[in-house]
Amino acid sequence: MPLDELIDRFLARLRGEVGVSPHTYAAYADDLARFAAFVRAKFRIEDARRVTREVVLAFQAAEAERGVGARSQARRLSTLRGLFRFALEEQILPDNPLADLRQPRLPRRLPTTLGEGDVPLLLDAAAATPTPLRDVALLEVLYGGGLRVSEAISLRLDAVFLDDRALRVLGKGDKERVVPLGRPACTALARYVEHERPRLVTSRRCQEVFVSPRGRKLTRQAVFALIRRLADRAGIEVPLSPHGLRHAFATHLVERGADLRVVQTLLGHANIST
């Protein structure tokens, strides 16, 4: 298959089924356009089957010589991983040329809290997993709603009110609260529940929103491992966990001027000092 056609199909999937943001879509499209232009000029490659590990390494080297930063290089490699994983899943290519190519180590940095600019990188990484709709929706709920991991994995379908843009959450001490959701989170959750969750569930008795590839309720351990993998793919060196996303939710709200009492209510804390 022509490389340009493969890229078009991959981008169509991102925009249609996965539903990435316009910013994310533009970043993916730019990364892939740069790669296609490079392999066409340097190696005269038009067919996606001719792309090898060595070709991608040459692209990375050329980007470094051009002065492209390590974080941008890591994002572009992540984009290419998503492209060739898609080609493998769709049986367009017999194997993935990037299967054994490791993510480059990024320069260490000091912040201990997830920055607002890191959130799109994390969502980009989630959009390129084998279960992209679930993983994007899970991130949107953990970060966009400030839920505890126990609250997210126990969230049931009858507690999701997308028309009202809200969730009914059972927190610590069996205290119930209503959590508002922004439009991106609602859109991601709706796409997952409609398009991907029905393919994952194996029993109608499973009423939890977020399920494993085997159709069972997600475990805390699975969510912790997923967040760590996504952070690594996104080149985020801040130690990240589901609680870190909840902490970032609160921190970013306060930094944007939210009242502490409102944040306390959203998080379900009994004491504002928490």
Side-chain angles (χ1 to χ4, degrees), residues 30-81:
D30 181 67
D31 291 343
L32 294 171
R34 289 180 182 277
F35 177 72
F38 171 81
V39 299
R40 188 179 299 114
K42 180 75 174 179
F43 298 99
R44 300 183 183 276
I45 288 178
E46 299 287 349
D47 193 324
R49 289 172 298 183
R50 292 187 56 204
V51 176
T52 63
R53 181 177 184 274
E54 288 69 30
V55 168
V56 175
L57 289 173
F59 173 65
Q60 287 184 291
E63 292 286 276
E65 288 180 11
R66 227 165 41 86
V68 175
R71 192 164 300 280
S72 294
Q73 289 186 52
R75 190 199 70 214
R76 285 174 187 166
L77 180 57
S78 178
T79 299
L80 291 173
R81 285 184 190 280

Side-chain angles (χ1 to χ4, degrees), residues 139-156:
L139 283 182
E140 288 281 9
V141 166
L142 289 170
Y143 172 74
L147 269 64
R148 299 178 177 94
V149 63
S150 58
E151 296 167 346
I153 62 176
S154 300
L155 184 66
R156 294 171 61 88

